[in-house]
Amino acid sequence: MTEFLILRMSAEEAITLDIDLSGNFSRLERGYVFAECERVIGEYERSGAPRRVIRLGIGDATLPVCPAVSAAFAAAAEEMSHAETFRGYPPVSGYSFLRDAASGYYRALGASVSPEDIYISDGTKSDAGNIYDILGDCTVCIPDPGYPAYRDCAIMAGKRTKDIPAAADNSFLPMPDCLGKDVRGAAIWLCSPGNPTGAAYTEKQLGAWVDFALESGSLILFDAAYAAFAAPGIPRTIYAVKGAEECAIEFYSLSKSASFTGIRCAWCVIPSALCSGGARLTELWRRRLSARSNGVSYPVQRAAQAALSKIAINYADECVRYYKENAAMIKIVFEGKGIEACGAASSPYVWIKCPDGYSSEGFFDRLLRKAQIAGTPGDGFGSGGRGYLRLTGFGTRADTEEAARRLDTLL
Ligand code: PLP
Protein backbone atom coordinates (compact mmCIF):
# COMPACT_ATOMS: atom_id res chain seq x y z
CA MET A 1 0.00 0.00 0.00
CA THR A 2 1.11 3.57 -0.61
CA GLU A 3 2.74 4.96 2.51
CA PHE A 4 0.03 7.51 3.31
CA LEU A 5 -2.57 4.75 3.41
CA ILE A 6 -0.80 2.55 5.90
CA LEU A 7 -2.62 2.74 9.21
CA ARG A 8 -0.57 3.82 12.14
CA MET A 9 -1.76 1.70 15.04
CA SER A 10 -0.19 -0.35 17.80
CA ALA A 11 -0.16 -4.15 17.65
CA GLU A 12 -2.93 -4.38 20.31
CA GLU A 13 -5.19 -2.04 18.33
CA ALA A 14 -4.75 -3.86 15.06
CA ILE A 15 -7.56 -6.30 14.26
CA THR A 16 -6.77 -8.35 11.23
CA LEU A 17 -9.72 -9.21 9.03
CA ASP A 18 -9.60 -11.74 6.30
CA ILE A 19 -11.25 -9.78 3.50
CA ASP A 20 -9.65 -8.64 0.30
CA LEU A 21 -9.57 -4.81 0.15
CA SER A 22 -9.58 -2.98 -3.16
CA GLY A 23 -6.11 -2.93 -4.60
CA ASN A 24 -6.97 0.14 -6.66
CA PHE A 25 -6.23 2.41 -3.73
CA SER A 26 -2.59 1.43 -3.85
CA ARG A 27 -2.41 3.08 -7.29
CA LEU A 28 -3.26 6.50 -5.80
CA GLU A 29 -0.11 8.55 -5.75
CA ARG A 30 -0.77 10.62 -2.63
CA GLY A 31 -3.45 11.76 -0.20
CA TYR A 32 -6.16 14.15 -1.38
CA VAL A 33 -4.23 17.39 -1.86
CA PHE A 34 -6.47 19.70 0.18
CA ALA A 35 -6.59 17.35 3.16
CA GLU A 36 -2.79 17.01 3.04
CA CYS A 37 -2.32 20.80 2.93
CA GLU A 38 -4.75 21.33 5.79
CA ARG A 39 -2.74 18.89 7.88
CA VAL A 40 0.54 20.76 7.20
CA ILE A 41 -1.07 24.17 7.84
CA GLY A 42 -2.69 22.95 11.07
CA GLU A 43 0.65 21.58 12.34
CA TYR A 44 2.34 24.89 11.51
CA GLU A 45 -0.37 26.85 13.36
CA ARG A 46 -0.13 24.62 16.41
CA SER A 47 3.65 24.95 16.42
CA GLY A 48 3.21 28.70 16.99
CA ALA A 49 2.92 30.66 13.72
CA PRO A 50 3.96 34.29 14.39
CA ARG A 51 0.65 35.63 13.00
CA ARG A 52 -2.66 34.39 11.67
CA VAL A 53 -2.40 32.18 8.58
CA ILE A 54 -4.49 33.49 5.67
CA ARG A 55 -5.98 30.51 3.85
CA LEU A 56 -5.99 31.09 0.11
CA GLY A 57 -5.77 27.40 -0.69
CA ILE A 58 -9.06 25.58 -0.73
CA GLY A 59 -11.79 26.64 -3.16
CA ASP A 60 -14.63 27.11 -0.72
CA ALA A 61 -17.27 29.83 -0.97
CA THR A 62 -17.09 32.43 1.81
CA LEU A 63 -19.97 34.76 0.97
CA PRO A 64 -23.37 33.85 2.45
CA VAL A 65 -26.22 32.54 0.32
CA CYS A 66 -28.75 34.94 -1.17
CA PRO A 67 -31.55 35.70 1.35
CA ALA A 68 -34.14 34.47 -1.20
CA VAL A 69 -32.37 31.08 -1.11
CA SER A 70 -32.29 30.74 2.68
CA ALA A 71 -35.95 31.84 2.81
CA ALA A 72 -36.93 29.08 0.37
CA PHE A 73 -34.79 26.60 2.30
CA ALA A 74 -36.47 27.53 5.61
CA ALA A 75 -39.98 27.52 4.12
CA ALA A 76 -39.40 24.04 2.68
CA ALA A 77 -38.07 22.79 6.03
CA GLU A 78 -41.20 24.20 7.68
CA GLU A 79 -43.38 22.33 5.15
CA MET A 80 -41.87 19.10 6.42
CA SER A 81 -43.40 19.65 9.85
CA HIS A 82 -47.02 19.66 8.62
CA ALA A 83 -48.92 16.53 7.65
CA GLU A 84 -50.39 18.19 4.52
CA THR A 85 -47.02 19.30 3.15
CA PHE A 86 -44.66 16.65 4.55
CA ARG A 87 -42.65 14.81 1.88
CA GLY A 88 -40.85 11.51 2.09
CA TYR A 89 -38.31 10.12 -0.34
CA PRO A 90 -37.73 12.52 -3.22
CA PRO A 91 -37.73 11.35 -6.85
CA VAL A 92 -34.25 9.90 -7.49
CA SER A 93 -33.63 12.16 -10.51
CA GLY A 94 -34.84 15.24 -8.66
CA TYR A 95 -38.12 17.13 -8.32
CA SER A 96 -39.55 18.39 -11.58
CA PHE A 97 -39.70 21.97 -10.20
CA LEU A 98 -35.88 21.98 -10.01
CA ARG A 99 -35.28 20.15 -13.27
CA ASP A 100 -37.58 22.69 -14.98
CA ALA A 101 -35.62 25.55 -13.40
CA ALA A 102 -32.32 23.97 -14.51
CA SER A 103 -33.69 23.63 -18.03
CA GLY A 104 -34.59 27.35 -17.82
CA TYR A 105 -30.98 28.09 -16.85
CA TYR A 106 -29.85 26.57 -20.18
CA ARG A 107 -32.59 28.38 -22.11
CA ALA A 108 -31.24 31.69 -20.77
CA LEU A 109 -27.83 30.71 -22.17
CA GLY A 110 -29.38 29.99 -25.57
CA ALA A 111 -29.06 26.20 -25.23
CA SER A 112 -31.84 23.67 -25.32
CA VAL A 113 -31.76 21.03 -22.56
CA SER A 114 -34.82 18.99 -21.70
CA PRO A 115 -35.74 18.69 -17.99
CA GLU A 116 -35.96 14.94 -18.67
CA ASP A 117 -32.21 14.86 -19.30
CA ILE A 118 -31.31 16.58 -16.02
CA TYR A 119 -30.38 14.57 -12.91
CA ILE A 120 -30.15 16.36 -9.56
CA SER A 121 -27.38 15.37 -7.15
CA ASP A 122 -25.62 16.47 -4.00
CA GLY A 123 -22.58 17.76 -5.86
CA THR A 124 -20.36 17.55 -8.89
CA LYS A 125 -17.69 15.78 -6.88
CA SER A 126 -20.12 12.91 -6.27
CA ASP A 127 -21.22 12.88 -9.91
CA ALA A 128 -17.59 12.93 -11.10
CA GLY A 129 -16.94 9.74 -9.17
CA ASN A 130 -20.30 8.13 -9.86
CA ILE A 131 -20.10 8.51 -13.63
CA TYR A 132 -17.46 5.78 -13.70
CA ASP A 133 -20.16 3.29 -12.62
CA ILE A 134 -21.65 3.39 -16.11
CA LEU A 135 -18.36 3.32 -18.02
CA GLY A 136 -16.77 0.04 -18.95
CA ASP A 137 -13.31 -0.68 -20.25
CA CYS A 138 -12.59 2.70 -21.80
CA THR A 139 -9.67 5.08 -21.36
CA VAL A 140 -10.44 8.10 -19.21
CA CYS A 141 -8.55 11.17 -20.45
CA ILE A 142 -7.86 13.69 -17.73
CA PRO A 143 -6.44 17.22 -17.95
CA ASP A 144 -3.11 17.46 -16.15
CA PRO A 145 -3.17 19.59 -14.05
CA GLY A 146 -6.85 19.18 -13.28
CA TYR A 147 -9.41 18.78 -10.52
CA PRO A 148 -7.97 15.85 -8.50
CA ALA A 149 -11.29 14.01 -8.08
CA TYR A 150 -11.40 13.04 -11.80
CA ARG A 151 -8.19 11.04 -11.47
CA ASP A 152 -8.57 9.76 -7.92
CA CYS A 153 -12.07 8.42 -8.57
CA ALA A 154 -11.01 6.89 -11.89
CA ILE A 155 -8.18 5.07 -10.16
CA MET A 156 -10.42 3.90 -7.31
CA ALA A 157 -12.87 2.61 -9.92
CA GLY A 158 -10.04 0.70 -11.60
CA LYS A 159 -10.13 2.73 -14.82
CA ARG A 160 -7.29 3.20 -17.27
CA THR A 161 -6.28 6.85 -17.42
CA LYS A 162 -4.44 9.00 -19.93
CA ASP A 163 -3.18 12.53 -19.28
CA ILE A 164 -4.20 15.49 -21.38
CA PRO A 165 -1.20 17.77 -20.78
CA ALA A 166 -2.26 21.35 -20.01
CA ALA A 167 0.86 23.48 -19.99
CA ALA A 168 1.98 27.05 -20.52
CA ASP A 169 2.82 26.26 -24.16
CA ASN A 170 -0.83 25.50 -24.92
CA SER A 171 -2.05 28.30 -22.60
CA PHE A 172 -3.31 25.51 -20.28
CA LEU A 173 -5.96 24.75 -22.91
CA PRO A 174 -5.02 21.38 -24.42
CA MET A 175 -6.64 20.57 -27.74
CA PRO A 176 -7.45 17.12 -29.19
CA ASP A 177 -4.05 16.85 -30.92
CA CYS A 178 -2.60 16.31 -27.40
CA LEU A 179 -4.32 12.92 -27.34
CA GLY A 180 -2.89 11.49 -30.51
CA LYS A 181 -4.79 10.07 -33.46
CA ASP A 182 -5.32 6.55 -32.16
CA VAL A 183 -7.70 7.53 -29.35
CA ARG A 184 -11.19 6.11 -29.93
CA GLY A 185 -14.11 5.55 -27.63
CA ALA A 186 -12.52 7.45 -24.74
CA ALA A 187 -14.15 9.39 -21.92
CA ILE A 188 -12.62 12.87 -21.94
CA TRP A 189 -12.81 15.26 -19.03
CA LEU A 190 -12.87 18.95 -19.90
CA CYS A 191 -13.30 21.71 -17.34
CA SER A 192 -13.90 25.25 -18.53
CA PRO A 193 -13.33 27.69 -16.96
CA GLY A 194 -10.77 25.38 -15.49
CA ASN A 195 -9.50 24.49 -12.09
CA PRO A 196 -6.65 25.02 -11.18
CA THR A 197 -5.36 27.22 -14.01
CA GLY A 198 -8.42 29.38 -14.65
CA ALA A 199 -7.99 28.90 -18.40
CA ALA A 200 -11.23 28.92 -20.40
CA TYR A 201 -12.04 27.55 -23.84
CA THR A 202 -13.61 29.67 -26.57
CA GLU A 203 -16.61 28.31 -28.47
CA LYS A 204 -14.35 27.48 -31.42
CA GLN A 205 -11.97 25.48 -29.22
CA LEU A 206 -14.83 23.58 -27.60
CA GLY A 207 -16.16 23.01 -31.12
CA ALA A 208 -12.88 21.27 -32.00
CA TRP A 209 -13.30 18.96 -28.99
CA VAL A 210 -16.89 18.19 -29.95
CA ASP A 211 -15.80 17.40 -33.52
CA PHE A 212 -13.07 15.14 -32.18
CA ALA A 213 -15.49 13.34 -29.86
CA LEU A 214 -18.00 12.80 -32.66
CA GLU A 215 -15.33 11.51 -35.03
CA SER A 216 -13.70 9.21 -32.47
CA GLY A 217 -16.87 7.90 -30.81
CA SER A 218 -15.73 9.47 -27.54
CA LEU A 219 -17.71 10.93 -24.68
CA ILE A 220 -16.94 14.40 -23.30
CA LEU A 221 -17.41 14.83 -19.55
CA PHE A 222 -17.74 18.60 -19.28
CA ASP A 223 -17.35 20.12 -15.84
CA ALA A 224 -19.08 23.51 -15.75
CA ALA A 225 -18.58 24.10 -12.01
CA TYR A 226 -17.09 27.53 -12.77
CA ALA A 227 -19.50 28.53 -15.55
CA ALA A 228 -20.65 31.60 -13.61
CA PHE A 229 -17.08 32.92 -13.62
CA ALA A 230 -16.74 32.90 -17.42
CA ALA A 231 -15.80 36.27 -18.92
CA PRO A 232 -18.15 37.64 -21.60
CA GLY A 233 -17.82 35.64 -24.82
CA ILE A 234 -16.67 32.44 -23.05
CA PRO A 235 -19.28 29.65 -23.31
CA ARG A 236 -20.90 28.67 -20.01
CA THR A 237 -22.17 25.36 -21.27
CA ILE A 238 -20.88 22.73 -23.70
CA TYR A 239 -24.38 22.71 -25.23
CA ALA A 240 -23.62 26.13 -26.72
CA VAL A 241 -21.66 24.05 -29.23
CA LYS A 242 -23.48 22.30 -32.06
CA GLY A 243 -23.30 18.53 -31.83
CA ALA A 244 -22.48 18.48 -28.09
CA GLU A 245 -25.83 16.87 -27.29
CA GLU A 246 -24.61 13.83 -29.25
CA CYS A 247 -21.33 13.40 -27.39
CA ALA A 248 -21.28 15.26 -24.08
CA ILE A 249 -22.45 14.99 -20.51
CA GLU A 250 -22.36 18.23 -18.52
CA PHE A 251 -21.88 18.61 -14.77
CA TYR A 252 -23.12 21.82 -13.20
CA SER A 253 -22.68 22.84 -9.58
CA LEU A 254 -24.28 25.55 -7.48
CA SER A 255 -21.33 25.39 -5.08
CA LYS A 256 -19.08 28.23 -6.11
CA SER A 257 -21.39 30.91 -7.47
CA ALA A 258 -24.47 30.36 -5.27
CA SER A 259 -22.45 29.46 -2.14
CA PHE A 260 -23.85 25.92 -2.03
CA THR A 261 -20.61 24.28 -0.88
CA GLY A 262 -22.32 23.55 2.43
CA ILE A 263 -25.93 23.12 1.25
CA ARG A 264 -24.88 20.70 -1.55
CA CYS A 265 -26.76 20.65 -4.81
CA ALA A 266 -25.73 20.13 -8.41
CA TRP A 267 -26.91 18.32 -11.52
CA CYS A 268 -25.67 16.50 -14.52
CA VAL A 269 -27.15 16.52 -17.99
CA ILE A 270 -27.16 13.21 -19.85
CA PRO A 271 -28.81 13.80 -23.21
CA SER A 272 -31.17 10.98 -24.12
CA ALA A 273 -29.51 10.87 -27.57
CA LEU A 274 -26.31 9.45 -26.05
CA CYS A 275 -26.04 5.76 -26.93
CA SER A 276 -23.22 3.27 -27.11
CA GLY A 277 -23.20 -0.42 -27.92
CA GLY A 278 -26.99 -0.36 -28.32
CA ALA A 279 -27.62 1.05 -24.83
CA ARG A 280 -28.72 4.51 -23.80
CA LEU A 281 -26.47 6.16 -21.24
CA THR A 282 -29.53 7.61 -19.51
CA GLU A 283 -30.95 4.11 -18.96
CA LEU A 284 -27.77 3.02 -17.21
CA TRP A 285 -27.64 6.22 -15.16
CA ARG A 286 -31.27 5.82 -14.04
CA ARG A 287 -30.64 2.20 -13.14
CA ARG A 288 -27.57 3.24 -11.18
CA LEU A 289 -29.50 5.98 -9.38
CA SER A 290 -32.34 3.69 -8.44
CA ALA A 291 -29.91 1.22 -6.88
CA ARG A 292 -27.58 3.67 -5.23
CA SER A 293 -29.46 6.81 -4.25
CA ASN A 294 -32.56 8.06 -2.54
CA GLY A 295 -32.14 11.52 -3.99
CA VAL A 296 -31.48 14.98 -2.60
CA SER A 297 -33.58 16.43 0.21
CA TYR A 298 -36.66 18.51 -0.55
CA PRO A 299 -35.51 21.69 1.27
CA VAL A 300 -32.17 21.59 -0.56
CA GLN A 301 -33.92 21.27 -3.90
CA ARG A 302 -36.25 24.18 -3.06
CA ALA A 303 -33.17 26.22 -2.10
CA ALA A 304 -31.56 25.27 -5.43
CA GLN A 305 -34.70 26.29 -7.31
CA ALA A 306 -34.55 29.67 -5.56
CA ALA A 307 -30.85 29.95 -6.47
CA LEU A 308 -31.89 29.86 -10.12
CA SER A 309 -34.34 32.76 -9.73
CA LYS A 310 -33.47 36.11 -11.28
CA ILE A 311 -32.85 37.81 -7.96
CA ALA A 312 -30.50 35.04 -6.78
CA ILE A 313 -28.63 34.94 -10.09
CA ASN A 314 -28.02 38.70 -9.84
CA TYR A 315 -26.81 38.17 -6.28
CA ALA A 316 -24.51 35.33 -7.44
CA ASP A 317 -23.10 37.57 -10.18
CA GLU A 318 -22.07 40.04 -7.46
CA CYS A 319 -20.40 37.25 -5.46
CA VAL A 320 -18.54 36.10 -8.55
CA ARG A 321 -17.41 39.68 -9.24
CA TYR A 322 -16.10 39.94 -5.66
CA TYR A 323 -14.13 36.68 -5.88
CA LYS A 324 -12.70 37.60 -9.27
CA GLU A 325 -11.64 41.03 -8.01
CA ASN A 326 -9.85 39.30 -5.12
CA ALA A 327 -8.11 36.96 -7.55
CA ALA A 328 -7.10 39.88 -9.78
CA MET A 329 -5.63 41.68 -6.77
CA ILE A 330 -3.39 38.70 -6.02
CA LYS A 331 -2.42 38.20 -9.64
CA ILE A 332 -1.32 41.83 -9.98
CA VAL A 333 1.15 41.50 -7.10
CA PHE A 334 2.90 38.57 -8.80
CA GLU A 335 2.89 40.22 -12.21
CA GLY A 336 4.31 43.38 -10.64
CA LYS A 337 7.25 41.31 -9.39
CA GLY A 338 7.83 39.83 -12.83
CA ILE A 339 6.43 36.42 -11.80
CA GLU A 340 4.23 34.60 -14.31
CA ALA A 341 0.63 34.28 -13.14
CA CYS A 342 -2.60 33.55 -14.98
CA GLY A 343 -6.26 33.09 -14.15
CA ALA A 344 -8.66 35.55 -12.50
CA ALA A 345 -10.31 36.68 -15.77
CA SER A 346 -12.74 33.74 -15.91
CA SER A 347 -12.05 32.15 -12.58
CA PRO A 348 -11.54 32.61 -8.85
CA TYR A 349 -8.07 31.07 -9.18
CA VAL A 350 -4.59 32.43 -9.79
CA TRP A 351 -2.07 29.97 -11.17
CA ILE A 352 1.46 31.05 -10.35
CA LYS A 353 4.76 29.86 -11.80
CA CYS A 354 6.96 29.37 -8.75
CA PRO A 355 9.82 31.90 -8.99
CA ASP A 356 13.55 31.34 -8.46
CA GLY A 357 13.44 27.63 -9.28
CA TYR A 358 11.23 26.79 -6.29
CA SER A 359 9.34 23.52 -6.44
CA SER A 360 5.58 23.61 -5.77
CA GLU A 361 6.13 22.37 -2.26
CA GLY A 362 9.10 24.67 -1.66
CA PHE A 363 7.11 27.73 -2.68
CA PHE A 364 4.05 26.58 -0.70
CA ASP A 365 6.35 26.27 2.31
CA ARG A 366 7.96 29.65 1.73
CA LEU A 367 4.61 31.47 1.52
CA LEU A 368 3.34 29.61 4.59
CA ARG A 369 6.37 30.15 6.81
CA LYS A 370 7.49 33.60 5.64
CA ALA A 371 4.17 35.28 4.84
CA GLN A 372 1.68 33.04 6.68
CA ILE A 373 -0.28 32.57 3.46
CA ALA A 374 -1.57 29.11 2.62
CA GLY A 375 -1.89 28.18 -1.04
CA THR A 376 -2.09 24.81 -2.79
CA PRO A 377 1.01 23.24 -4.39
CA GLY A 378 0.40 22.88 -8.11
CA ASP A 379 1.61 19.28 -8.25
CA GLY A 380 -1.36 18.32 -6.07
CA PHE A 381 -3.42 18.74 -9.28
CA GLY A 382 -1.24 16.32 -11.24
CA SER A 383 2.38 16.12 -12.30
CA GLY A 384 1.68 18.81 -14.94
CA GLY A 385 1.27 21.25 -12.06
CA ARG A 386 4.87 20.79 -10.93
CA GLY A 387 6.56 24.13 -10.36
CA TYR A 388 3.24 25.95 -9.91
CA LEU A 389 1.12 27.09 -6.98
CA ARG A 390 -2.58 27.96 -6.84
CA LEU A 391 -4.03 30.81 -4.80
CA THR A 392 -7.72 31.62 -4.70
CA GLY A 393 -9.96 34.66 -4.56
CA PHE A 394 -12.33 32.99 -2.11
CA GLY A 395 -10.88 34.82 0.90
CA THR A 396 -12.59 37.85 2.38
CA ARG A 397 -11.66 41.21 0.85
CA ALA A 398 -9.82 42.21 4.04
CA ASP A 399 -7.82 38.95 4.08
CA THR A 400 -7.02 39.25 0.39
CA GLU A 401 -5.79 42.82 0.82
CA GLU A 402 -3.67 41.74 3.76
CA ALA A 403 -2.31 38.79 1.76
CA ALA A 404 -1.45 41.14 -1.13
CA ARG A 405 0.50 43.37 1.30
CA ARG A 406 2.36 40.38 2.77
CA LEU A 407 3.21 39.06 -0.71
CA ASP A 408 4.40 42.46 -1.83
CA THR A 409 6.81 42.59 1.13
CA LEU A 410 8.03 39.01 0.72
CA LEU A 411 8.59 38.71 -3.02
N1 PLP B 1 -15.51 20.56 -10.15
C1 PLP B 1 -14.45 21.35 -9.99
C2 PLP B 1 -13.61 21.67 -11.16
C3 PLP B 1 -14.13 21.85 -8.73
O1 PLP B 1 -13.06 22.63 -8.59
C4 PLP B 1 -14.93 21.52 -7.63
C5 PLP B 1 -14.61 21.99 -6.27
O2 PLP B 1 -13.61 22.58 -5.98
C6 PLP B 1 -16.03 20.70 -7.84
C7 PLP B 1 -16.29 20.22 -9.11
C8 PLP B 1 -16.88 20.26 -6.68
O3 PLP B 1 -18.18 20.63 -6.87
P1 PLP B 1 -19.28 20.25 -5.78
O4 PLP B 1 -19.11 21.19 -4.63
O5 PLP B 1 -20.57 20.45 -6.51
O6 PLP B 1 -19.08 18.85 -5.38
Side-chain angles (χ1 to χ4, degrees):
M1 279 255 160
T2 315
E3 211 240 315
F4 74 88
L5 287 170
I6 296 172
L7 294 178
R8 281 170 194 84
M9 52 171 66
S10 66
E12 304 86 72
E13 281 175 313
I15 300 166
T16 305
L17 301 174
D18 198 17
I19 55 161
D20 186 31
L21 294 176
S22 167
N24 294 333
F25 286 67
S26 63
R27 290 175 52 222
L28 293 168
E29 274 163 26
R30 54 189 283 176
Y32 198 66
V33 61
F34 304 113
E36 292 269 285
C37 289
E38 205 36 55
R39 188 181 53 75
V40 173
I41 298 161
E43 272 169 18
Y44 175 62
E45 285 175 322
R46 283 189 296 281
S47 74
R51 57 186 164 174
R52 190 171 62 86
V53 174
I54 299 177
R55 282 175 161 69
L56 298 183
I58 197 159
D60 198 349
T62 45
L63 295 171
V65 294
C66 174
V69 170
S70 49
F73 202 0
E78 173 64 22
E79 280 182 50
M80 297 298 242
S81 68
H82 302 283
E84 316 77 60
T85 46
F86 167 79
R87 308 211 181 199
Y89 287 126
V92 285
S93 319
Y95 283 104
S96 57
F97 62 75
L98 180 52
R99 293 196 285 147
D100 288 344
S103 175
Y105 161 82
Y106 286 105
R107 208 174 315 116
L109 297 180
S112 168
V113 171
S114 160
E116 295 300 307
D117 294 348
I118 294 171
Y119 299 86
I120 307 302
S121 78
D122 69 328
T124 293
K125 192 188 239 184
S126 309
D127 283 341
N130 290 335
I131 197 67
Y132 297 123
D133 279 357
I134 68 163
L135 301 180
D137 183 25
C138 64
T139 300
V140 182
C141 303
I142 300 174
D144 179 18
Y147 181 47
Y150 309 147
R151 181 182 313 278
D152 283 1
C153 296
I155 289 172
M156 288 186 229
K159 300 292 175 205
R160 200 171 45 246
T161 62
K162 182 178 171 75
D163 291 341
I164 317 177
D169 61 9
N170 55 26
S171 308
F172 304 105
L173 291 170
M175 296 303 293
D177 55 323
C178 292
L179 284 181
K181 291 206 180 343
D182 52 338
V183 168
R184 283 204 63 78
I188 302 167
W189 278 105
L190 297 178
C191 179
S192 179
N195 177 14
T197 67
Y201 286 109
T202 62
E203 192 170 332
K204 194 162 171 233
Q205 289 170 319
L206 283 182
W209 273 109
V210 166
D211 289 346
F212 175 80
L214 291 171
E215 279 158 25
S216 65
S218 296
L219 173 69
I220 292 176
L221 303 171
F222 187 76
D223 185 346
Y226 296 96
F229 291 80
I234 295 293
R236 292 176 173 221
T237 167
I238 188 84
Y239 303 116
V241 177
K242 203 164 160 282
E245 66 289 350
E246 288 165 35
C247 64
I249 289 176
E250 175 160 309
F251 302 89
Y252 181 87
S253 171
L254 288 163
S255 280
K256 307 300 162 109
S257 54
S259 300
F260 266 55
T261 47
I263 298 174
R264 312 300 304 141
C265 200
W267 67 73
C268 65
V269 177
I270 307 188
S272 45
L274 296 182
C275 289
S276 191
R280 267 185 212 288
L281 274 66
T282 47
E283 305 272 308
L284 272 65
W285 189 250
R286 284 201 197 116
R287 185 68 187 83
R288 194 204 77 80
L289 274 174
S290 60
R292 288 242 202 182
S293 170
N294 271 326
V296 174
S297 86
Y298 173 69
V300 165
Q301 293 198 51
R302 279 292 185 201
Q305 178 192 25
L308 295 170
S309 66
K310 199 161 176 11
I311 187 172
I313 285 182
N314 290 341
Y315 179 96
D317 286 345
E318 285 304 302
C319 297
V320 163
R321 193 164 59 83
Y322 177 93
Y323 295 138
K324 281 174 42 169
E325 281 171 4
N326 282 351
M329 201 186 300
I330 293 165
K331 187 175 149 192
I332 283 168
V333 179
F334 284 95
E335 284 176 336
K337 304 282 177 182
I339 298 169
E340 263 176 62
C342 60
S346 282
S347 123
Y349 298 124
V350 187
W351 186 240
I352 300 142
K353 174 108 185 77
C354 302
D356 308 323
Y358 273 102
S359 66
S360 297
E361 235 151 88
F363 196 51
F364 166 85
D365 225 53
R366 177 151 187 253
L367 292 195
L368 181 63
R369 287 169 211 281
K370 301 278 186 229
Q372 288 71 48
I373 293 171
T376 310
D379 55 1
F381 299 93
S383 57
R386 255 183 222 137
Y388 285 85
L389 180 106
R390 191 194 76 173
L391 292 178
T392 91
F394 283 116
T396 62
R397 181 58 49 88
D399 271 2
T400 308
E401 284 169 350
E402 171 62 14
R405 276 191 292 274
R406 291 186 192 180
L407 288 168
D408 191 44
T409 310
L410 176 74
L411 298 169

